[in-house]
Amino acid sequence: MKIVMLAAAAALLASPARAQEPAAPAVVSPDAMVLPGATLAPDCGNLYGLAGRAFCVSAPLAGISALAEAYVADLQTKGWLPAGGDENRVVFVRRRDTGGCDGLQMQAFYDTSGPASPASLGYLGFGPIQGDVCAAQPTAPAATVPPAQ
């Protein structure tokens, strides 16, 4: 699973909002730790408004893909299963002991306002997905056709 560096970090905390659910708290998950090769980045590079909303680490762009792979492997040892994503985002799920599932996203991003060189800083941001990600999603009501007159 290769993580390609793109500028789509705005999707990090995007998830379907449910009016009856409270907003997810700021993330400093016990499962999200600083692995070798990463540097804690509490300000998330001051990018995309993620400071205080996500747990972020940084590393040179040349090593961010390998670091992302290390985080995937580490999270799997903690019960998180990769369940989807795209080129620079991985969505994880983990069953709760009380039923249902928690969700977590890992997003790779960098500052696109400057040149992207191997020495430029890249970031991995981690954020929760609100609600029970294993719960059945409500379906749209079936369209009704008015009777012919």
Side-chain angles (χ1 to χ4, degrees):
M1 174 185 331
K2 184 171 181 172
I3 305 294
V4 177
M5 296 307 302
L6 298 174
L12 171 64
L13 297 174
S15 65
R18 294 180 183 93
Q20 70 273 21
E21 293 175 353
V27 178
V28 179
S29 169
D31 291 327
M33 54 186 247
V34 180
L35 295 181
T39 301
L40 183 62
D43 65 355
C44 297
N46 291 316
L47 298 167
Y48 309 107
L50 295 177
R53 296 179 41 207
F55 173 86
C56 294
V57 296
S58 65
L61 279 177
I64 203 75
S65 183
L67 183 61
E69 293 295 329
Y71 270 99
V72 169
D74 183 65
L75 287 167
Q76 286 179 306
T77 68
K78 296 173 177 157
W80 289 99
L81 301 173
D86 55 32
E87 291 181 333
N88 60 324
R89 181 174 65 105
V90 179
V91 176
F92 298 91
V93 296
R94 179 173 68 181
R95 291 242 178 241
R96 298 175 185 156
D97 292 338
T98 58
C101 300
D102 290 318
L104 175 71
Q105 295 183 69
M106 177 181 72
Q107 180 78 37
F109 60 98
Y110 67 100
D111 186 352
T112 60
S113 68
S117 73
S120 299
L121 279 182
Y123 297 88
L124 295 176
F126 300 84
I129 299 172
Q130 297 178 4
D132 181 352
V133 298
C134 291
Q137 299 298 316
T139 58
T144 57
V145 178
Q149 299 207 18

